[in-house]
Amino acid sequence: MASRTAQPAQGSDTRTPKPESDDTAASAAPTGALLQRIISPRTGDPLDVRSLYLDEAKSNHQRARAMGRTGLEIPSDSEVSFASYFNAFPASYWRRWTTLDVVQLRLRVDHPCRVDIYRSKADGMQIHVRGNVVEANQLVTFDLDLTPFEDGGWYWFDITTDHDNVLLTDSGWYAPRPAPGRASIAIAITTFNRPDDCVHALATIADDPLVLETITRVTVADQGKRKVRDAPGFTEAAEALGDRLLLIDQGNMGGSGGFARGMYEAVTGTDCEQIMVMDDDIVIEPDSILRSLAFSRFAEHPMLVGGQMLNLQARSHLHSMGEVVDRNIFMWRAAPNVEYDHDFAEYPLRDEDSEDLHRRIDVDYNGWWMCLIPRSIVDKLGLPLPLFIKWDDAEYGLRAGAAGHPTASLPGVAIWHMPWSDKDDATDWQAYFHLRNRLVVAAMYRDRPDLTGLLMHSLKSAFKHLLSLEYSTVAVQERAIRDFLAGPQRLFELLPSALPEVNKQRSEFDDGRVLESARQFPLPTMDAVRAERFLKAPKNPITKIKILAEGLVHNLVPAKPQHHERPQLNIAARDARWFLLSRIDGATVATSDGRGVAYRKRNPKTFWLLLTRSLTAHAQLARDWPKLRRQYRNARPELTSLESWARVFGR
């Protein structure tokens, strides 16, 4: 795609910047603070992942070569741009949330070359700031103003070489003054039967000397049966971390129980200044830890600093830029103006189709795949709610925001994680926690006294699940409402018991049992041409109403028994929609990860029974809502206190 034409700045400076001492940029910390290292792709990274680090001219006859993580050899007679996700500087975020008004770019090269600095505006327009020839073996510093970035924009630089290869080393974005406070991070990792992934995360943290210097404690709450200590590589990772590592075995209390344990150990057993919660099943760019730490220390007021999510299966894709909670239906969603699943390999930062990446995105919370929380906020607000999984991160962000502590999802701070599209978390056992915890958080933070938007959204969802033959989902959602209606005093009680009870209930339904493969059954009965017609999504409201009516009428007559023995269709996960499944009696449906199928079977008796129970539960929810709001809001201090969690941990 074509790039936007760079516009020259008024009075562009073409003078060679004044060189600093011969010390490296990292050792210049006494006169400033490192904010963001210039980092190179890892050896062995796929080619598309390079786009997260470098934007290389397609005409280059050779590619730049990584020399470790912070060195890069740039071929002669070529140009490399650092207008990339991990190496450009997200100036608008620093302008909005920190006390800095100037950022410094410090570079060192071993041969003369030209350096051009650019900035962008919120609409993606590129502006040339200055360009100079820099001399060899001198640390050069460019002072850059953060004032023009109120709404959005990045800084980056390009290097153009002449007749020599150029080695770029010891380079980064710096503050002109030391960072306030102290770097002392306690990392809290929750893991459940992912020992290999967890050990890889520990090894990555331990392998970076600058990161390791900032770490006071790494607490791993191991809640699974496959233990981290038994995984290959654990001994080496543990030796590298030394007495910083605290490994705790405890029963499965979900993410909230695991993160609460890590946070509890941090505030009761260390003098840390920052607490970072982190998933186990991630691949982390280590500099993200240093960047979030620097941002937190320079923040004008204590705030949460979150990492964005890159797609672990398509690693050049930025999956999640930032999230908010829709206060009407009280459901999380992508923040306004974000671009979903942006592919940097296809559309680099400078590309005209990447303009949304230049806006500053404001969020309500950050997912706890990676989020840094100042200890002062935890001391003030307490620990997570005992929600097991789902909504614990959103609730903490809302709680912090209500207390005057915002959240930033900072570009260039990121982990790779499995995308939500490869999970069935809206329909499997997690559906229980989605709804129950959504109601808990809504009771605490929804300003409107009525529940109309949330109720209508929930009922619509239940109806779609029933038409899609997802009876187990509606059954556990009805259970979620009943458990919410029982009041906040049950949350701690349900922490270890809800999951096994929900799984037992789901196993009573055909759609709740995952089978190995569709090959266990005879070939489907429906011919391909007729199946194609069923798979087409309705295009207009009249067609939707007609199909809806057909689905309701269909559930007034018994299912044909032969379709419960031999499926009518084998349906891909992406095609399992209500307008298809409401018109058939039996079909195998693949799971989102492609590892199994469920044989969904229409049962009119179950349909009407679950619909009646769901309507009854929603009606009681609407009737009791004012009382429940008071109960849950009054209970929040106790639910989040160190003392309450200490009793859960047996401390």
Side-chain angles (χ1 to χ4, degrees), residues 582-598:
S582 64
R583 295 185 284 178
I584 61 179
D585 288 347
T588 60
V589 178
T591 57
S592 291
D593 62 4
R595 296 179 180 275
V597 299

Side-chain angles (χ1 to χ4, degrees), residues 9 64 108 430 450 471 541 598:
R108 184 189 296 274
Q430 297 171 88
D450 70 290
Y471 301 136

Side-chain angles (χ1 to χ4, degrees), residues 221-411:
D222 191 343
Q223 303 183 140
K225 294 181 179 178
R226 295 168 51 208
K227 293 301 181 182
V228 172
R229 63 169 56 91
D230 298 327
F234 172 75
T235 300
E236 293 79 3
E239 288 177 354
L241 289 169
D243 58 7
R244 297 178 179 89
L245 179 62
L246 176 62
L247 189 61
I248 295 173
D249 290 329
Q250 65 180 29
N252 186 15
M253 304 182 199
S256 67
F259 288 133
R261 185 61 181 269
M263 294 164 74
Y264 176 88
E265 297 296 338
V267 298
T268 60
T270 79
D271 64 348
C272 72
E273 292 292 320
Q274 302 86 19
I275 299 172
M276 177 173 283
V277 291
M278 186 183 296
D279 262 345
D280 57 346
D281 56 339
I282 62 172
V283 173
I284 186 170
E285 174 52 71
D287 206 59
S288 295
I289 296 174
L290 300 178
R291 297 176 185 193
S292 59
L293 171 63
F295 194 88
S296 176
R297 293 175 70 185
F298 278 104
E300 186 171 15
H301 305 289
M303 65 183 299
L304 282 65
V305 185
Q308 298 182 333
M309 184 198 289
L310 295 159
N311 188 334
L312 188 58
Q313 294 186 327
R315 291 183 56 187
S316 63
H317 291 230
L318 177 59
H319 191 69
S320 174
M321 293 175 63
E323 298 177 311
V324 295
V325 175
D326 182 334
R327 303 305 202 274
N328 178 37
I329 62 174
F330 218 87
M331 188 64 192
W332 59 58
R333 48 154 287 185
N337 301 313
V338 306
E339 184 168 344
Y340 175 75
D341 210 41
H342 181 88
D343 183 4
F344 282 99
E346 186 72 21
Y347 306 107
L349 187 62
R350 297 184 294 175
D351 193 276
E352 61 184 7
D353 289 326
S354 300
E355 64 181 55
D356 283 344
L357 299 181
H358 296 263
R359 285 178 176 263
R360 190 191 71 247
I361 303 298
D362 295 332
V363 302
D364 285 332
Y365 73 98
N366 197 91
W368 279 3
W369 46 77
M370 179 186 182
C371 187
L372 185 140
I373 308 170
R375 185 211 179 108
S376 60
I377 294 180
V378 177
D379 288 339
K380 177 180 177 181
L381 300 182
L383 302 182
L385 285 174
L387 299 180
F388 195 82
I389 62 166
K390 306 300 178 188
W391 283 94
D392 47 344
D393 46 13
E395 185 278 329
Y396 209 93
L398 293 174
R399 194 193 322 171
H405 303 292
T407 300
S409 293
L410 186 61

Side-chain angles (χ1 to χ4, degrees), residues 13 43 161 185 391 393 404 434 540 613 625:
D13 187 357
T43 302
T161 62
I185 305 175
W391 283 94
D393 46 13
H434 267 297
N540 60 67
R613 288 170 56 178
W625 183 250

Side-chain angles (χ1 to χ4, degrees), residues 99-225:
T99 59
L100 292 180
D101 52 18
V102 171
V103 63
Q104 293 180 340
L105 173 62
R106 300 182 185 178
L107 302 173
R108 184 189 296 274
V109 292
D110 70 342
H111 286 94
C113 62
R114 180 176 175 84
V115 174
D116 288 282
I117 299 176
Y118 297 83
R119 72 173 178 91
S120 64
K121 298 169 66 175
D123 63 358
M125 178 177 287
Q126 300 166 30
I127 299 173
H128 185 257
V129 177
R130 66 179 68 170
N132 355 264
V133 174
V134 299
E135 299 303 321
N137 301 315
Q138 293 180 330
L139 181 66
V140 295
T141 298
F142 301 88
D143 289 320
L144 302 169
D145 184 16
L146 290 177
T147 304
F149 296 95
E150 181 64 26
D151 295 329
W154 302 66
Y155 272 123
W156 67 84
F157 65 98
D158 296 353
I159 290 181
T160 305
T161 62
D162 197 353
H163 303 300
D164 297 303
N165 291 359
V166 170
L167 180 62
L168 175 72
T169 57
D170 305 316
S171 303
W173 302 92
Y174 281 77
R177 64 178 187 269
R182 182 168 57 92
S184 176
I185 305 175
I187 296 179
I189 298 176
T190 301
T191 186
F192 179 77
N193 288 340
R194 293 184 180 272
D196 295 333
D197 291 336
C198 188
V199 167
H200 184 268
L202 294 176
T204 301
I205 293 168
D207 192 49
D208 192 305
L210 283 187
V211 172
L212 199 57
E213 285 179 11
T214 70
I215 304 299
T216 299
R217 170 71 58 82
V218 179
T219 300
V220 177
D222 191 343
Q223 303 183 140
K225 294 181 179 178

Side-chain angles (χ1 to χ4, degrees), residues 466 471 509 603-611:
L466 288 172
Y471 301 136
F509 297 87
N603 187 323
K605 181 179 178 181
T606 301
F607 176 95
W608 293 108
L609 175 63
L610 288 174
L611 179 59

